[in-house]
Structures are given as structure tokens and as C-alpha cells.
mmCIF file of all heavy atoms in Angstrom:
data_model
loop_
_atom_site.group_PDB
_atom_site.id
_atom_site.type_symbol
_atom_site.label_atom_id
_atom_site.label_comp_id
_atom_site.label_asym_id
_atom_site.label_seq_id
_atom_site.Cartn_x
_atom_site.Cartn_y
_atom_site.Cartn_z
ATOM 1 N N ALA A 10 1.739 -2.092 -1.733
ATOM 2 C CA ALA A 10 0.447 -1.257 -1.818
ATOM 3 C C ALA A 10 0.392 -0.325 -0.652
ATOM 4 O O ALA A 10 0.933 -0.635 0.428
ATOM 5 C CB ALA A 10 -0.806 -2.094 -1.863
ATOM 6 N N ASN A 11 -0.181 0.768 -0.912
ATOM 7 C CA ASN A 11 -0.223 1.835 0.203
ATOM 8 C C ASN A 11 -1.539 2.621 0.225
ATOM 9 O O ASN A 11 -2.054 2.961 -0.826
ATOM 10 C CB ASN A 11 0.870 2.859 -0.006
ATOM 11 C CG ASN A 11 0.729 4.169 0.894
ATOM 12 O OD1 ASN A 11 0.622 5.130 0.240
ATOM 13 N ND2 ASN A 11 0.740 4.006 2.172
ATOM 14 N N ASP A 12 -2.123 2.921 1.410
ATOM 15 C CA ASP A 12 -3.252 3.728 1.582
ATOM 16 C C ASP A 12 -3.229 4.297 2.990
ATOM 17 O O ASP A 12 -2.788 3.548 3.882
ATOM 18 C CB ASP A 12 -4.556 3.061 1.186
ATOM 19 C CG ASP A 12 -5.636 4.113 0.912
ATOM 20 O OD1 ASP A 12 -6.225 4.748 1.819
ATOM 21 O OD2 ASP A 12 -5.919 4.318 -0.324
ATOM 22 N N PHE A 13 -3.666 5.495 3.145
ATOM 23 C CA PHE A 13 -3.620 6.132 4.489
ATOM 24 C C PHE A 13 -4.924 5.889 5.300
ATOM 25 O O PHE A 13 -4.871 5.938 6.487
ATOM 26 C CB PHE A 13 -3.412 7.648 4.421
ATOM 27 C CG PHE A 13 -4.586 8.443 4.074
ATOM 28 C CD1 PHE A 13 -5.260 9.040 5.184
ATOM 29 C CD2 PHE A 13 -5.151 8.448 2.870
ATOM 30 C CE1 PHE A 13 -6.521 9.745 4.822
ATOM 31 C CE2 PHE A 13 -6.303 9.157 2.522
ATOM 32 C CZ PHE A 13 -6.945 9.773 3.560
ATOM 33 N N ASP A 14 -5.942 5.435 4.578
ATOM 34 C CA ASP A 14 -7.251 5.226 5.255
ATOM 35 C C ASP A 14 -7.274 3.778 5.835
ATOM 36 O O ASP A 14 -7.222 2.752 5.129
ATOM 37 C CB ASP A 14 -8.369 5.319 4.182
ATOM 38 C CG ASP A 14 -9.643 5.351 4.755
ATOM 39 O OD1 ASP A 14 -10.078 4.415 5.522
ATOM 40 O OD2 ASP A 14 -10.564 6.225 4.549
ATOM 41 N N ALA A 15 -7.400 3.701 7.148
ATOM 42 C CA ALA A 15 -7.324 2.402 7.818
ATOM 43 C C ALA A 15 -8.496 1.491 7.460
ATOM 44 O O ALA A 15 -8.401 0.296 7.327
ATOM 45 C CB ALA A 15 -7.269 2.611 9.308
ATOM 46 N N LYS A 16 -9.669 2.147 7.278
ATOM 47 C CA LYS A 16 -10.863 1.267 6.920
ATOM 48 C C LYS A 16 -10.722 0.721 5.550
ATOM 49 O O LYS A 16 -10.995 -0.493 5.309
ATOM 50 C CB LYS A 16 -12.132 2.165 7.060
ATOM 51 C CG LYS A 16 -12.431 2.693 8.406
ATOM 52 C CD LYS A 16 -12.736 1.530 9.346
ATOM 53 C CE LYS A 16 -13.084 2.072 10.772
ATOM 54 N NZ LYS A 16 -13.303 0.847 11.676
ATOM 55 N N LYS A 17 -10.186 1.437 4.520
ATOM 56 C CA LYS A 17 -10.093 0.993 3.292
ATOM 57 C C LYS A 17 -8.936 -0.163 3.308
ATOM 58 O O LYS A 17 -9.040 -1.108 2.600
ATOM 59 C CB LYS A 17 -9.731 2.054 2.205
ATOM 60 C CG LYS A 17 -10.701 3.016 1.931
ATOM 61 C CD LYS A 17 -10.255 4.122 1.042
ATOM 62 C CE LYS A 17 -11.284 5.191 0.715
ATOM 63 N NZ LYS A 17 -10.757 6.203 -0.222
ATOM 64 N N ALA A 18 -7.920 0.041 4.123
ATOM 65 C CA ALA A 18 -6.855 -0.907 4.154
ATOM 66 C C ALA A 18 -7.333 -2.281 4.728
ATOM 67 O O ALA A 18 -6.880 -3.279 4.279
ATOM 68 C CB ALA A 18 -5.769 -0.338 5.059
ATOM 69 N N GLU A 19 -8.319 -2.169 5.585
ATOM 70 C CA GLU A 19 -8.964 -3.411 6.144
ATOM 71 C C GLU A 19 -9.602 -4.181 4.861
ATOM 72 O O GLU A 19 -9.465 -5.399 4.890
ATOM 73 C CB GLU A 19 -10.065 -3.127 7.101
ATOM 74 C CG GLU A 19 -9.457 -2.650 8.470
ATOM 75 C CD GLU A 19 -10.560 -2.314 9.537
ATOM 76 O OE1 GLU A 19 -11.716 -2.627 9.233
ATOM 77 O OE2 GLU A 19 -10.266 -1.829 10.517
ATOM 78 N N SER A 20 -10.242 -3.453 4.037
ATOM 79 C CA SER A 20 -10.916 -4.192 2.914
ATOM 80 C C SER A 20 -9.837 -4.679 1.982
ATOM 81 O O SER A 20 -9.918 -5.777 1.400
ATOM 82 C CB SER A 20 -11.757 -3.158 2.108
ATOM 83 O OG SER A 20 -12.886 -2.835 2.848
ATOM 84 N N TYR A 21 -8.749 -3.943 1.771
ATOM 85 C CA TYR A 21 -7.702 -4.362 0.883
ATOM 86 C C TYR A 21 -7.100 -5.686 1.464
ATOM 87 O O TYR A 21 -6.947 -6.761 0.708
ATOM 88 C CB TYR A 21 -6.576 -3.336 0.827
ATOM 89 C CG TYR A 21 -5.494 -3.718 -0.157
ATOM 90 C CD1 TYR A 21 -5.500 -3.083 -1.345
ATOM 91 C CD2 TYR A 21 -4.487 -4.533 0.139
ATOM 92 C CE1 TYR A 21 -4.463 -3.384 -2.351
ATOM 93 C CE2 TYR A 21 -3.487 -4.932 -0.748
ATOM 94 C CZ TYR A 21 -3.568 -4.312 -2.080
ATOM 95 O OH TYR A 21 -2.595 -4.664 -2.973
ATOM 96 N N ALA A 22 -6.822 -5.638 2.767
ATOM 97 C CA ALA A 22 -6.192 -6.815 3.418
ATOM 98 C C ALA A 22 -7.157 -8.058 3.291
ATOM 99 O O ALA A 22 -6.741 -9.155 3.153
ATOM 100 C CB ALA A 22 -5.844 -6.565 4.921
ATOM 101 N N SER A 23 -8.494 -7.811 3.533
ATOM 102 C CA SER A 23 -9.412 -8.897 3.457
ATOM 103 C C SER A 23 -9.460 -9.595 2.107
ATOM 104 O O SER A 23 -9.738 -10.746 1.994
ATOM 105 C CB SER A 23 -10.877 -8.394 3.721
ATOM 106 O OG SER A 23 -10.974 -7.893 5.121
ATOM 107 N N ASN A 24 -9.237 -8.772 1.062
ATOM 108 C CA ASN A 24 -9.328 -9.401 -0.216
ATOM 109 C C ASN A 24 -7.905 -9.817 -0.876
ATOM 110 O O ASN A 24 -7.900 -10.688 -1.724
ATOM 111 C CB ASN A 24 -9.925 -8.361 -1.198
ATOM 112 C CG ASN A 24 -11.370 -8.175 -0.939
ATOM 113 O OD1 ASN A 24 -12.236 -9.056 -1.373
ATOM 114 N ND2 ASN A 24 -11.746 -7.191 -0.153
ATOM 115 N N TRP A 25 -6.886 -9.047 -0.435
ATOM 116 C CA TRP A 25 -5.537 -9.348 -1.079
ATOM 117 C C TRP A 25 -4.452 -9.735 -0.184
ATOM 118 O O TRP A 25 -3.340 -9.973 -0.647
ATOM 119 C CB TRP A 25 -5.102 -8.094 -1.906
ATOM 120 C CG TRP A 25 -6.134 -7.524 -2.816
ATOM 121 C CD1 TRP A 25 -6.892 -6.294 -2.587
ATOM 122 C CD2 TRP A 25 -6.682 -8.033 -3.968
ATOM 123 N NE1 TRP A 25 -7.800 -6.128 -3.640
ATOM 124 C CE2 TRP A 25 -7.653 -7.198 -4.474
ATOM 125 C CE3 TRP A 25 -6.429 -9.223 -4.703
ATOM 126 C CZ2 TRP A 25 -8.361 -7.421 -5.673
ATOM 127 C CZ3 TRP A 25 -7.141 -9.437 -5.838
ATOM 128 C CH2 TRP A 25 -8.117 -8.607 -6.351
ATOM 129 N N GLY A 26 -4.752 -9.665 1.159
ATOM 130 C CA GLY A 26 -3.726 -9.992 2.161
ATOM 131 C C GLY A 26 -2.982 -8.658 2.457
ATOM 132 O O GLY A 26 -3.083 -7.596 1.918
ATOM 133 N N SER A 27 -2.216 -8.785 3.555
ATOM 134 C CA SER A 27 -1.597 -7.509 4.104
ATOM 135 C C SER A 27 -0.015 -7.584 4.211
ATOM 136 O O SER A 27 0.614 -6.646 4.669
ATOM 137 C CB SER A 27 -2.064 -7.286 5.596
ATOM 138 O OG SER A 27 -1.812 -8.480 6.370
ATOM 139 N N ASP A 28 0.580 -8.629 3.708
ATOM 140 C CA ASP A 28 2.053 -8.806 3.777
ATOM 141 C C ASP A 28 2.789 -7.674 2.988
ATOM 142 O O ASP A 28 3.888 -7.346 3.327
ATOM 143 C CB ASP A 28 2.406 -10.209 3.306
ATOM 144 C CG ASP A 28 2.037 -10.519 1.785
ATOM 145 O OD1 ASP A 28 0.893 -10.177 1.491
ATOM 146 O OD2 ASP A 28 2.780 -11.058 1.085
ATOM 147 N N HIS A 29 2.166 -7.207 1.963
ATOM 148 C CA HIS A 29 2.780 -6.152 1.146
ATOM 149 C C HIS A 29 2.148 -4.831 1.284
ATOM 150 O O HIS A 29 2.464 -3.932 0.453
ATOM 151 C CB HIS A 29 2.784 -6.529 -0.357
ATOM 152 C CG HIS A 29 1.459 -6.760 -0.853
ATOM 153 N ND1 HIS A 29 0.609 -7.890 -0.516
ATOM 154 C CD2 HIS A 29 0.594 -5.987 -1.680
ATOM 155 C CE1 HIS A 29 -0.537 -7.744 -1.014
ATOM 156 N NE2 HIS A 29 -0.640 -6.558 -1.699
ATOM 157 N N LEU A 30 1.240 -4.566 2.317
ATOM 158 C CA LEU A 30 0.473 -3.387 2.443
ATOM 159 C C LEU A 30 1.117 -2.489 3.517
ATOM 160 O O LEU A 30 1.307 -3.010 4.586
ATOM 161 C CB LEU A 30 -0.936 -3.815 2.855
ATOM 162 C CG LEU A 30 -1.955 -2.640 3.155
ATOM 163 C CD1 LEU A 30 -2.146 -1.779 1.863
ATOM 164 C CD2 LEU A 30 -3.387 -3.225 3.656
ATOM 165 N N HIS A 31 1.259 -1.305 3.092
ATOM 166 C CA HIS A 31 1.685 -0.235 4.054
ATOM 167 C C HIS A 31 0.552 0.684 4.293
ATOM 168 O O HIS A 31 0.125 1.405 3.384
ATOM 169 C CB HIS A 31 2.886 0.525 3.529
ATOM 170 C CG HIS A 31 3.393 1.650 4.313
ATOM 171 N ND1 HIS A 31 4.250 1.509 5.447
ATOM 172 C CD2 HIS A 31 3.019 3.005 4.380
ATOM 173 C CE1 HIS A 31 4.455 2.715 6.041
ATOM 174 N NE2 HIS A 31 3.704 3.699 5.371
ATOM 175 N N VAL A 32 0.057 0.751 5.607
ATOM 176 C CA VAL A 32 -1.041 1.707 6.024
ATOM 177 C C VAL A 32 -0.420 2.954 6.554
ATOM 178 O O VAL A 32 0.133 2.883 7.580
ATOM 179 C CB VAL A 32 -1.987 0.924 6.867
ATOM 180 C CG1 VAL A 32 -3.212 1.910 7.215
ATOM 181 C CG2 VAL A 32 -2.413 -0.320 6.396
ATOM 182 N N GLY A 33 -0.652 4.055 5.903
ATOM 183 C CA GLY A 33 -0.109 5.311 6.420
ATOM 184 C C GLY A 33 0.005 6.309 5.270
ATOM 185 O O GLY A 33 -0.222 6.022 4.082
ATOM 186 N N ASP A 34 0.230 7.597 5.627
ATOM 187 C CA ASP A 34 0.413 8.585 4.673
ATOM 188 C C ASP A 34 1.533 8.353 3.760
ATOM 189 O O ASP A 34 2.557 7.823 4.194
ATOM 190 C CB ASP A 34 0.692 9.977 5.411
ATOM 191 C CG ASP A 34 0.446 11.114 4.553
ATOM 192 O OD1 ASP A 34 1.108 11.240 3.541
ATOM 193 O OD2 ASP A 34 -0.343 12.066 4.925
ATOM 194 N N ILE A 35 1.339 8.670 2.564
ATOM 195 C CA ILE A 35 2.377 8.376 1.485
ATOM 196 C C ILE A 35 3.749 9.047 1.855
ATOM 197 O O ILE A 35 4.825 8.676 1.449
ATOM 198 C CB ILE A 35 1.996 8.827 0.127
ATOM 199 C CG1 ILE A 35 2.936 8.153 -0.994
ATOM 200 C CG2 ILE A 35 1.830 10.302 -0.032
ATOM 201 C CD1 ILE A 35 2.423 8.344 -2.344
ATOM 202 N N VAL A 36 3.677 10.248 2.657
ATOM 203 C CA VAL A 36 4.949 10.817 2.991
ATOM 204 C C VAL A 36 5.788 10.057 3.920
ATOM 205 O O VAL A 36 6.876 10.311 4.151
ATOM 206 C CB VAL A 36 4.643 12.205 3.727
ATOM 207 C CG1 VAL A 36 3.959 13.078 2.769
ATOM 208 C CG2 VAL A 36 3.866 12.052 4.981
ATOM 209 N N THR A 37 5.198 8.969 4.566
ATOM 210 C CA THR A 37 5.937 8.067 5.436
ATOM 211 C C THR A 37 6.657 6.839 4.609
ATOM 212 O O THR A 37 7.288 6.147 5.128
ATOM 213 C CB THR A 37 5.006 7.495 6.432
ATOM 214 O OG1 THR A 37 3.994 6.598 5.866
ATOM 215 C CG2 THR A 37 4.312 8.552 7.237
ATOM 216 N N VAL A 38 6.210 6.764 3.318
ATOM 217 C CA VAL A 38 6.846 5.752 2.445
ATOM 218 C C VAL A 38 8.173 6.222 1.946
ATOM 219 O O VAL A 38 8.251 7.331 1.390
ATOM 220 C CB VAL A 38 5.927 5.460 1.336
ATOM 221 C CG1 VAL A 38 6.481 4.381 0.378
ATOM 222 C CG2 VAL A 38 4.468 5.092 1.769
ATOM 223 N N LYS A 39 9.193 5.459 2.139
ATOM 224 C CA LYS A 39 10.525 5.731 1.713
ATOM 225 C C LYS A 39 10.899 4.766 0.589
ATOM 226 O O LYS A 39 10.321 3.710 0.575
ATOM 227 C CB LYS A 39 11.553 5.609 2.838
ATOM 228 C CG LYS A 39 11.134 6.536 4.048
ATOM 229 C CD LYS A 39 10.991 8.022 3.746
ATOM 230 C CE LYS A 39 10.555 8.758 4.895
ATOM 231 N NZ LYS A 39 10.259 10.195 4.589
ATOM 232 N N PRO A 40 11.934 5.128 -0.172
ATOM 233 C CA PRO A 40 12.358 4.186 -1.300
ATOM 234 C C PRO A 40 12.760 2.768 -0.719
ATOM 235 O O PRO A 40 12.451 1.778 -1.356
ATOM 236 C CB PRO A 40 13.652 4.904 -1.775
ATOM 237 C CG PRO A 40 13.321 6.287 -1.621
ATOM 238 C CD PRO A 40 12.627 6.369 -0.249
ATOM 239 N N ALA A 41 13.266 2.802 0.459
ATOM 240 C CA ALA A 41 13.611 1.476 1.025
ATOM 241 C C ALA A 41 12.531 0.625 1.367
ATOM 242 O O ALA A 41 12.504 -0.617 1.491
ATOM 243 C CB ALA A 41 14.422 1.675 2.392
ATOM 244 N N SER A 42 11.209 1.291 1.498
ATOM 245 C CA SER A 42 9.959 0.535 1.702
ATOM 246 C C SER A 42 9.589 -0.314 0.543
ATOM 247 O O SER A 42 8.698 -1.197 0.687
ATOM 248 C CB SER A 42 8.881 1.479 2.198
ATOM 249 O OG SER A 42 9.293 2.299 3.257
ATOM 250 N N LEU A 43 10.042 0.048 -0.565
ATOM 251 C CA LEU A 43 9.497 -0.447 -1.913
ATOM 252 C C LEU A 43 10.464 -1.553 -2.359
ATOM 253 O O LEU A 43 11.629 -1.282 -2.709
ATOM 254 C CB LEU A 43 9.492 0.658 -3.013
ATOM 255 C CG LEU A 43 8.600 1.842 -2.601
ATOM 256 C CD1 LEU A 43 8.674 2.904 -3.658
ATOM 257 C CD2 LEU A 43 7.088 1.328 -2.504
ATOM 258 N N PRO A 44 10.026 -2.809 -2.412
ATOM 259 C CA PRO A 44 10.804 -3.920 -2.771
ATOM 260 C C PRO A 44 11.075 -3.964 -4.285
ATOM 261 O O PRO A 44 10.220 -3.677 -5.089
ATOM 262 C CB PRO A 44 10.101 -5.174 -2.241
ATOM 263 C CG PRO A 44 8.659 -4.693 -2.318
ATOM 264 C CD PRO A 44 8.712 -3.189 -1.964
ATOM 265 N N GLY A 45 12.184 -4.444 -4.647
ATOM 266 C CA GLY A 45 12.430 -4.870 -6.097
ATOM 267 C C GLY A 45 12.460 -3.548 -6.967
ATOM 268 O O GLY A 45 12.688 -2.434 -6.538
ATOM 269 N N HIS A 46 12.190 -3.910 -8.221
ATOM 270 C CA HIS A 46 12.173 -2.836 -9.300
ATOM 271 C C HIS A 46 10.911 -3.103 -10.155
ATOM 272 O O HIS A 46 10.904 -3.966 -11.029
ATOM 273 C CB HIS A 46 13.428 -2.960 -10.227
ATOM 274 C CG HIS A 46 13.585 -1.899 -11.234
ATOM 275 N ND1 HIS A 46 14.657 -1.773 -12.011
ATOM 276 C CD2 HIS A 46 12.727 -0.904 -11.629
ATOM 277 C CE1 HIS A 46 14.553 -0.786 -12.845
ATOM 278 N NE2 HIS A 46 13.307 -0.231 -12.577
ATOM 279 N N ALA A 47 9.816 -2.433 -9.742
ATOM 280 C CA ALA A 47 8.531 -2.706 -10.370
ATOM 281 C C ALA A 47 8.470 -2.177 -11.734
ATOM 282 O O ALA A 47 9.088 -1.120 -12.161
ATOM 283 C CB ALA A 47 7.381 -2.011 -9.563
ATOM 284 N N ASP A 48 7.747 -2.842 -12.669
ATOM 285 C CA ASP A 48 7.561 -2.383 -13.991
ATOM 286 C C ASP A 48 6.512 -1.182 -14.056
ATOM 287 O O ASP A 48 6.679 -0.389 -14.936
ATOM 288 C CB ASP A 48 6.864 -3.539 -14.848
ATOM 289 C CG ASP A 48 7.856 -4.704 -15.003
ATOM 290 O OD1 ASP A 48 8.963 -4.482 -15.571
ATOM 291 O OD2 ASP A 48 7.623 -5.729 -14.491
ATOM 292 N N LEU A 49 5.578 -1.191 -13.120
ATOM 293 C CA LEU A 49 4.479 -0.164 -13.178
ATOM 294 C C LEU A 49 4.249 0.407 -11.759
ATOM 295 O O LEU A 49 4.204 -0.326 -10.841
ATOM 296 C CB LEU A 49 3.166 -0.853 -13.598
ATOM 297 C CG LEU A 49 1.910 -0.109 -13.452
ATOM 298 C CD1 LEU A 49 1.819 1.152 -14.397
ATOM 299 C CD2 LEU A 49 0.663 -1.030 -13.818
ATOM 300 N N ALA A 50 4.059 1.722 -11.691
ATOM 301 C CA ALA A 50 3.484 2.323 -10.524
ATOM 302 C C ALA A 50 2.141 2.869 -10.876
ATOM 303 O O ALA A 50 1.959 3.706 -11.738
ATOM 304 C CB ALA A 50 4.424 3.511 -10.022
ATOM 305 N N TRP A 51 1.054 2.338 -10.156
ATOM 306 C CA TRP A 51 -0.293 2.910 -10.342
ATOM 307 C C TRP A 51 -0.587 3.831 -9.276
ATOM 308 O O TRP A 51 -0.449 3.529 -8.146
ATOM 309 C CB TRP A 51 -1.282 1.770 -10.471
ATOM 310 C CG TRP A 51 -2.639 2.174 -10.743
ATOM 311 C CD1 TRP A 51 -3.570 2.846 -9.862
ATOM 312 C CD2 TRP A 51 -3.292 2.151 -12.004
ATOM 313 N NE1 TRP A 51 -4.679 3.172 -10.573
ATOM 314 C CE2 TRP A 51 -4.540 2.681 -11.822
ATOM 315 C CE3 TRP A 51 -2.974 1.597 -13.225
ATOM 316 C CZ2 TRP A 51 -5.523 2.861 -12.887
ATOM 317 C CZ3 TRP A 51 -3.833 1.686 -14.283
ATOM 318 C CH2 TRP A 51 -5.141 2.291 -14.086
#
């Protein structure tokens, strides 16, 4: 999961955990950051 807004990311982490959460602009997300082969991208 990814979002650039730190405050929203805090809520995400509070409800879903942060182990798979990348906080930052999407331009900083690289293919190597994405694990596995997901069925869906939302």
C-alpha cells in the first residue's frame, strides 16, 4: 500500500498495520518495491 500523506498513512497503519505500507510520493515507488505478482492494482 502507498500514500504520500503522512497523516493518512498514520490512520492506515492504525487500522491495517505498516509492514506493507510505503509512505511517500508514488514517483519514489519502484518495481522492486512491489512484492510478488498481485492479481489487482487499485
Side-chain angles (χ1 to χ4, degrees):
N11 164 245
D12 202 282
F13 81 101
D14 189 308
K16 295 298 183 182
K17 291 180 182 177
E19 287 180 11
S20 293
Y21 188 100
S23 295
N24 289 279
W25 311 109
S27 59
D28 57 319
H29 59 287
L30 176 64
H31 174 86
V32 184
D34 196 305
I35 192 171
V36 298
T37 66
V38 179
K39 307 302 179 185
S42 306
L43 302 172
H46 185 175
D48 296 295
L49 166 70
W51 184 284

